[in-house]
Amino acid sequence: MSPLITRRRAAAAVLTTALLIPLAACGDSGSDKAKDKDSGSKATSSASGAPKADLTVLAAASLTDVFKEAGAAYEKENPGTKVTFSFAGSQELAAQVKQGAPADALVTADTKTMDGLTGETGTPTVIAKNRLVIAVGEGNPEKVENLKDLSDAKLKVVLAAPEVPVGRYSKQILDAQKIEVKPVSQEPNVRAVLSKVELGEADAGLVYKTDAATATDKVDAIDIPDAENAVASYPAATLKGSKHSEAAAAFVAWLSTPAAQKILQGAGFQQP
């Protein structure tokens, strides 16, 4: 082989190597960028570590005000997560779950309703407790003092329906004291009972202490002694039909944290 040909081949090899180096560098850069982009697309956790998701939570009507505050606090603590609540009587919520309503978690105002959904939920955790009071018009115009006064036929008393947790608790405490009350109406949830008293359509009604506290400008609350009262427990659980099971579990767990408990107790709920 002549020296000239050898020199030309060597020069060609050097040129090829020089061209391949930047191409390889570009290829690595593109690969790294793709990996970074792919990694970013999988970053579905918030700063606190809870998975991001749009959650729907079915909650007892008596949690309406406090859960709006709690939901806002949770969203602030977990950027990228949105919590939407659907409030109703616990028995209505249970019916929705059985019918396959799309939701991620459930909080009822009694353990009985939750226990009836064993096949539909995860393991429930009691997050708060509550007690009943007698709600009367502002200034207590009918001078109601205790449970026995509710048996007065001249008094317009409204109660929740017996299948509603607060209605069941009401029947429990009235039966225990052997007090017969003939309500002018039986409502589908505790907020409906409170509304009747607020509007002056009823003289008195049995509601949760926390509900009466939301309407202090329109109703007065007559305390019921603990010995004559009932304790309402609020269990929370994830729903097995949830499409965001990890995020739902994170929210349910958060309800037992000091931050959530401070909000619940600030609204008058008792420690679980």
Side-chain angles (χ1 to χ4, degrees), residues 190-265:
V190 68
R191 285 303 173 97
V193 175
L194 182 66
S195 178
K196 290 282 187 180
V197 179
E198 286 184 281
L199 296 172
E201 296 176 9
D203 299 317
L206 288 175
V207 301
Y208 296 119
K209 181 177 181 179
T210 53
D211 288 285
T214 68
T216 53
D217 58 332
K218 295 181 180 179
V219 304
D220 288 350
I222 310 301
D223 288 331
I224 300 171
D226 287 350
E228 301 175 9
N229 214 328
V231 178
S233 294
Y234 290 73
T238 57
L239 291 174
K240 291 184 178 179
S242 170
K243 294 182 180 179
H244 313 287
S245 56
E246 290 185 19
F251 175 74
V252 169
W254 179 81
L255 291 173
S256 294
T257 64
Q261 288 297 305
K262 182 178 180 180
I263 295 172
L264 286 163
Q265 290 164 34

Side-chain angles (χ1 to χ4, degrees), residues 35 45 51 56 59 74 79 91 95 109 127 130 137 150 158 186 219 224-225 236 238 251 258:
K35 288 179 181 178
S45 294
T56 297
Y74 188 75
Q91 81 291 347
I127 61 160
N130 213 340
L150 300 182
V158 62
Q186 293 183 314
V219 304
I224 300 171
T238 57
F251 175 74

Side-chain angles (χ1 to χ4, degrees), residues 19-35:
L19 291 171
L20 287 175
I21 288 174
L23 287 174
C26 290
D28 288 343
S29 176
S31 176
D32 288 343
K33 287 179 180 178
K35 288 179 181 178

